[in-house]
Amino acid sequence: TESINSRFIICFGKIIYIRVNLGCNVSNVIAYTYLKSAPNIVSSSVTKTTCYNSSDGSLAIAFDRDLEPGETLSLQWINTTDNVSDQEDIDELSYEDGKYMYRVKHQLPFGDYELKLMGFKGSFNTYTDGPQHTIKFQIGKYNPVVFTTSKVDVWCKGGYDGQIKIDATGGIPEEVPAAYYEYRMNEWTDNPDDLIYYKDWTKFDGDATSQIIKGLPKGTYKIQVRDSNGCVARINGGLGDEKLEIIEIKEPDEAFEAVETYRKNPTAFGRADGELTYKVTGGTINSDNTYNFELRESSITGPVTTVYTTQYDASTKEFYITFKALRGMDYYLSISDKNWTSATDKVDADNDG
């Protein structure tokens, strides 16, 4: 018995008429068009866009067979998220890991897609109306890279102990453990073409989402952050210009200094009527316009003197401490500013009598 199929192959794309002879009876004529099925889609895989605002997602499709000579395919898709459609023609498949593959050449933006396969053999269509010729897929995207900063000013005038802390989120490090963040820091200048780089793109320590930059002098700095995909943090929810965080590291206007300005020794042996005044300037004064201080009797661990007065002159930014009721003995004085920059002194209070 000869296979009917073997005869139909030569009738590809044509109308075929069939009538069955049953001896005494003959069936009605049946007419149909013979179409070969296009390759079936067996699987697909997608890659997200590199950055939140990029349009470079990708799609790879696996088929159940290779294309025959003269056979071509056409991919037609619509991004239902923004209602944009496109297409791409295929005349060759690659063979990868036991599958016949095609990687879409178009770069695909974020969105939900519906894809339909069309097939051709010579001047005829192939069959592409089955569920194996249509797929739905989504091109995802990473969250936008976002960062915030905080700072520690220089403690002493002329010092190099300023700090900037960066906290980053978003981008590929949120989903891929091996990914990371980088920062770039330069000193601010009025001329954008004359940037002074302290650090070009530098990886955060370890796999951290935070980075502390230490050893900074007084200055104004620009900070940028990106992820290991090269996606730079941007303003306006990741859709605007690249974000440049401007941070000013300050230092005290004057160096911290404590100077003795007045001394009155006890008037007689055993009396407690001595006085001692110090003027304190510079450094970083406390928010209530005071400095930290204590005066101890006899040793650095002796009793603390509690009889004193203070005065702040806002016009000169001078702070005065006057210790009273002092006896004839050694005293140990410690004065410091808000940042605990300190000055210490040993004071000998002699008797006048």
Side-chain angles (χ1 to χ4, degrees), residues 21-231:
N21 188 341
L22 301 176
C24 297
N25 299 313
V26 178
S27 71
N28 294 331
V29 175
I30 302 172
Y32 71 94
T33 303
Y34 177 78
L35 295 178
K36 181 179 178 62
S37 174
N40 296 326
I41 298 174
V42 295
S43 64
S44 62
S45 60
V46 297
T47 303
K48 290 184 175 184
T49 61
T50 302
C51 302
Y52 178 79
N53 64 328
S54 64
S55 300
D56 56 355
S58 64
L59 169 68
I61 304 174
F63 295 94
D64 64 345
R65 66 173 178 83
D66 199 1
L67 294 178
E68 296 180 355
E71 184 179 14
T72 60
L73 301 174
S74 178
L75 302 179
Q76 300 176 1
W77 65 82
I78 182 171
N79 183 336
T80 58
T81 302
D82 55 19
N83 201 34
V84 175
S85 59
D86 212 332
Q87 70 174 55
E88 190 166 304
D89 296 331
I90 305 173
D91 58 12
E92 184 178 9
L93 303 179
S94 61
Y95 190 70
E96 304 173 20
D97 299 325
K99 297 178 181 179
Y100 296 97
M101 301 292 301
Y102 182 76
R103 302 183 183 280
V104 175
K105 296 181 174 62
H106 281 68
Q107 292 188 329
L108 304 176
F110 164 81
D112 294 312
Y113 289 79
E114 295 179 1
L115 180 145
K116 170 67 176 174
L117 182 68
M118 301 296 293
F120 307 92
K121 180 69 180 291
S123 58
F124 300 102
N125 292 347
T126 53
Y127 176 76
T128 55
D129 291 335
Q132 66 275 19
H133 300 127
T134 302
I135 59 171
K136 293 182 178 180
F137 63 95
Q138 182 185 72
I139 297 294
K141 61 182 177 181
Y142 298 106
N143 291 326
V145 176
V146 176
F147 73 96
T148 58
T149 61
S150 57
K151 67 165 184 171
V152 176
D153 289 323
V154 174
W155 282 25
C156 302
K157 185 175 178 61
Y160 283 80
D161 53 4
Q163 297 182 14
I164 295 175
K165 183 185 179 187
I166 308 170
D167 293 292
T169 59
I172 190 173
E174 281 191 333
E175 301 183 28
V176 180
Y180 53 87
Y181 296 106
E182 295 180 315
Y183 70 94
R184 180 166 66 181
M185 180 181 73
N186 57 70
E187 188 174 10
W188 171 268
T189 66
D190 292 333
N191 183 358
D193 296 324
D194 187 27
L195 298 178
I196 304 172
Y197 282 100
Y198 276 72
K199 286 183 179 290
D200 205 345
W201 290 113
T202 302
K203 181 181 177 182
F204 279 26
D205 294 335
D207 296 323
T209 58
S210 296
Q211 175 70 39
I212 298 178
I213 309 168
K214 300 180 180 180
L216 300 177
K218 171 187 175 181
T220 304
Y221 301 90
K222 280 184 178 181
I223 300 291
Q224 288 181 282
V225 173
R226 70 182 184 185
D227 66 10
S228 48
N229 269 353
C231 305

Side-chain angles (χ1 to χ4, degrees), residues 8-29:
F8 284 175
I9 290 176
I10 63 173
C11 299
F12 176 74
K14 298 179 181 179
I15 299 177
I16 301 173
Y17 299 92
I18 299 177
R19 186 168 59 182
V20 180
N21 188 341
L22 301 176
C24 297
N25 299 313
V26 178
S27 71
N28 294 331
V29 175

Side-chain angles (χ1 to χ4, degrees), residues 238-250:
L239 298 175
D241 295 333
E242 293 182 358
K243 179 180 179 180
L244 292 172
E245 187 85 354
I246 299 175
I247 304 160
E248 182 181 6
I249 297 293
K250 300 179 180 179

